[in-house]
Amino acid sequence: MINGHVLSTGNEVLLGDIVDTNSAFLCRQLKRSGITVIKTSAVRDDMAALVREIQSIASAADICVMTGGLGPTPDDLTAAALAEAAGVKIELDAAALESMKKYFDKRGFDLTPANEKQAMLPKGAKFLENLHGTAPGISMTINKCRFFCMPGVSREMERMFDLKVRPKLYEMTGHAGEIQIIRLMLFGMPESRVGQILSGFALQFPEIHLGFRVRFPMIEVKLSLLKEVVSDSEEGMDGARQMKQAKLWVMEQLGSIVISDQGLTLAQEVGRLLKKCGQTLSVAESCTGGLVAHLITDVPGASDYFLFSATTYANSAKETILNVSRETLEKNGAVDETTALEMAIGVRTAGGSDWAVSTTGIAGPSGGTEAKPVGTVCIGVAGPSGSHSQRFLLDRGDRERNKQLFAAMSLEMLRRELVKNY
């Protein structure tokens, strides 16, 4: 197994001024290169702290991908820290300087002495050409660990990784192929109960790692084959068989709460089913305030199946736009199965779609009654084979989480109808 470490540098990361998306990107890329990430870390712009971290990584990992600290300002310390950690001097790299000159000349800029600092690399290191920015990358070995240092700017880092780092990783790993991973998405059961149901997994499949991740209101179950395999070898095929058997075992234990065996969210799975059937959808929302439509349209390609959305918060809007009868609203109120049903039917007609889903409820923290407490939601689904609605009590003690859960339940009701009909 080849062990990898992902290191981010910069005060802005530790202060929370920026979200460290670089580390997430690099973890995914190392996985795809057949490298197991054993740790990620972030270090402030401090020479002593950087040197300590680099030396620690050099004694534990085989590969380290590092971002940040390659700029022209005094707080850009990566090159100097690498040199100190390795016990070598820092010196001007002629190839790195020439690469920078070409970049500046092409854009009509002057190369300043401050920029020349970026071409000062540890002795023995090799520079990684940056085709999309000013800072050259650095490649060098300290102890047993190969370091690849890239800019902190995400766009520059990602392109340098693809063009300069990934090919080197493939050389080192023999292009072993990525660690095998299967993701199952669940809805409708707490994590503790899922863990209890799958407690016998390790005995059944000792070579496969079972992991859980809450992505409220859903749970992701991840199966990972930790050993490196070559996909066309006998071992690789055996690994694929193990993963397939493990996936089937998990799905059999969990049953209908598995909403996707491809790692898709509810909105993605609903979109996949609609697209597969060549059918369309409209949405009417009250308590979710447009969240259902947002989840659906957040999926690329949603324009192929999503036609219309109406956020009808007021009863008058439910009447005029969705044709909900005044009698229904006066007799039952806005939060009622009949109201939800008429909303679904009305938006399906208004949108001219094959399917429609509606939500009306009490997200809280106020507005609840003894008969209809906070967390009450009524959801309607209308489609080619008929229409129906259902009431749920889904209070999670927080308005935002209630809305998320209401929206997810509406998509789950729709998904079940799509599966049932097709």
Side-chain angles (χ1 to χ4, degrees), residues 201-214:
F201 182 89
L203 293 176
Q204 294 281 338
F205 308 97
E207 293 185 332
I208 298 175
H209 176 74
L210 175 68
F212 303 90
R213 178 188 176 196
V214 177

Side-chain angles (χ1 to χ4, degrees), residues 359-391:
T359 63
T360 180
I362 306 168
S366 60
T369 65
E370 186 175 346
K372 299 176 183 179
V374 169
T376 300
V377 63
C378 298
I379 298 170
V381 176
S385 57
S387 308
H388 72 283
S389 62
Q390 192 170 348
R391 178 183 297 201

